[in-house]
Amino acid sequence: MSHNYKRVSMKVYGKVQGVFFRASTQEKAEALGLTGFVRNEPDGTVYLEAEGDPETIKQLEAWAHRGPEHARVEKVEIKELSELAGFKKFEQRR
């Protein structure tokens, strides 16, 4: 694991549940070689954490602002987290 890896959380607002957002996020993150998780929140948002190369995380951030085809993303709150979690893969959580 590279030492310049970083971990971020993203909270995605808009029409982001029921549009395959989690599955698409997992697909995109895996394609980018990132680890972490994505889940739907009770408030209608999607929350995810991703860990990996900072440049690759930027690509996921850019993707999250659009999301999959039927999503309507209003905003994305991104926070850099201080500790790496050492995720083994990228998964969908309930």
Side-chain angles (χ1 to χ4, degrees), residues 22 36-40 49 87 91-94:
R22 286 180 306 157
F37 67 88
V38 60
R39 69 175 181 235
N40 285 338
E49 288 186 14
F87 299 117
E91 62 186 11
Q92 293 182 54
R93 294 186 181 170
R94 297 231 169 271

Side-chain angles (χ1 to χ4, degrees), residues 45-88:
T45 61
V46 168
Y47 177 82
L48 67 105
E49 288 186 14
E51 196 166 272
D53 178 76
E55 284 306 306
T56 315
I57 286 186
K58 273 198 191 99
Q59 292 176 49
L60 186 66
E61 289 172 1
W63 180 88
H65 282 87
R66 295 188 309 273
E69 187 185 356
H70 297 290
R72 294 287 170 271
V73 176
E74 287 163 18
K75 70 172 179 170
V76 182
E77 286 175 358
I78 300 168
K79 291 188 182 116
E80 190 160 341
L81 304 172
S82 53
E83 307 257 327
L84 292 179
F87 299 117
K88 299 281 179 266

